[in-house]
Amino acid sequence: MGNSTSSALSKEILKDLKLTTHFTEDEISQWYENFQKQCPTGRITPEEFEQIYARFFPDSDAKSYARHVFRSFDANDDGTLDFKEYIIALHMTSTGETTRKLEWAFSLFDVDKNGYINKTEVTEICQAIFKLIPKEEQAKLPEDENTPEKRANKLWAYFEKKDNERLAEGEFIKGVIENENAMRLIHYEPANE
């Protein structure tokens, strides 16, 4: 193999990523090349991740949302993402089966990583989501979800919990799957007109 390993992606990781994501080998290799260029250290910092994320949302402030996304994918809590964590992040936020996506959404909302979500955490993520929504789109939102607080209240209501109660992962996934609106409220889809 020689010294080519640093620039080539290991077969194990490639195989692993093809299994966990729906990306092709070509796509993964292409991203790896870009990743190497952007992150010669092989690690992405929260700042770098914010910049990458900002490109997806040019008209909004994606900073706080990107921070939360970063936290939810930093599996080993070392303050950086490696290539594998990064690709899984891309995959989860773009495609991915519903349950896997919801498992990820749960970890996104579980701000303090204690295995439960409370209403304060839901409000915090709703505030971050709101910053992703361009101002003109915010203006068109329904009356009962046109502020982060209203959005959080509406979402929390689907889980039939009191304001001071907390939500386990299974309850969260079930609540979202059973309510189409909840599914829409836990993230922001840019309008594709």
Side-chain angles (χ1 to χ4, degrees):
M1 291 225 32
N3 58 5
S4 65
T5 33
S6 59
S7 59
L9 195 52
S10 84
K11 290 268 184 294
E12 285 76 55
I13 292 188
L14 197 56
K15 208 166 75 189
D16 202 16
L17 285 173
K18 272 170 65 183
L19 284 176
T20 45
T21 71
H22 296 297
F23 298 137
T24 66
E25 219 164 292
D26 286 345
E27 287 176 309
I28 295 170
S29 304
Q30 187 55 58
W31 271 317
Y32 190 66
E33 261 174 58
N34 294 341
F35 181 83
Q36 292 284 101
K37 280 195 206 93
Q38 288 176 329
C39 314
T41 58
R43 296 256 162 211
I44 291 185
T45 63
E47 293 72 27
E48 288 169 321
F49 189 74
E50 273 168 31
Q51 287 164 0
I52 294 168
Y53 223 83
R55 288 190 212 130
F56 292 107
F57 299 101
D59 304 325
S60 6
D61 171 9
K63 216 185 183 80
S64 54
Y65 191 72
R67 283 281 159 136
H68 286 297
V69 173
F70 187 93
R71 166 187 49 77
S72 68
F73 285 112
D74 180 10
N76 58 359
D77 265 332
D78 67 354
T80 62
L81 297 186
D82 59 23
F83 180 69
K84 196 171 153 186
E85 288 169 327
Y86 169 64
I87 285 296
I88 288 175
L90 277 184
H91 168 70
M92 280 299 185
T93 46
S94 58
T95 53
E97 303 93 64
T98 305
T99 354
R100 288 288 304 277
K101 233 177 173 162
L102 291 177
E103 283 167 10
W104 166 64
F106 181 83
S107 66
L108 179 73
F109 279 89
D110 183 11
V111 176
D112 63 7
K113 295 191 171 187
N114 71 346
Y116 291 93
I117 294 176
N118 61 33
K119 196 173 178 194
T120 314
E121 289 174 315
V122 169
T123 308
E124 191 176 332
I125 300 299
C126 284
Q127 283 163 343
I129 290 175
F130 235 71
K131 291 182 178 165
L132 294 179
I133 308 176
K135 288 282 177 280
E136 62 277 10
E137 268 187 59
Q138 286 186 20
K140 297 182 199 148
L141 288 170
E143 179 59 34
D144 63 349
E145 53 184 78
N146 61 6
T147 70
E149 293 65 34
K150 286 182 187 174
R151 188 182 184 115
N153 286 336
K154 188 172 180 176
L155 186 50
W156 192 251
Y158 289 117
F159 302 115
E160 293 167 11
K161 292 275 183 189
K162 297 192 185 74
D163 279 2
N164 61 350
E165 291 182 319
R166 54 186 201 167
L167 201 55
E169 184 177 41
E171 299 175 300
F172 173 79
I173 292 176
K174 186 171 178 288
V176 176
I177 285 178
E178 287 171 2
N179 298 283
E180 212 160 284
N181 265 323
M183 187 69 106
R184 186 176 53 78
L185 291 171
I186 59 170
H187 58 81
Y188 164 62
E189 290 280 340
N192 293 328
E193 269 112 59

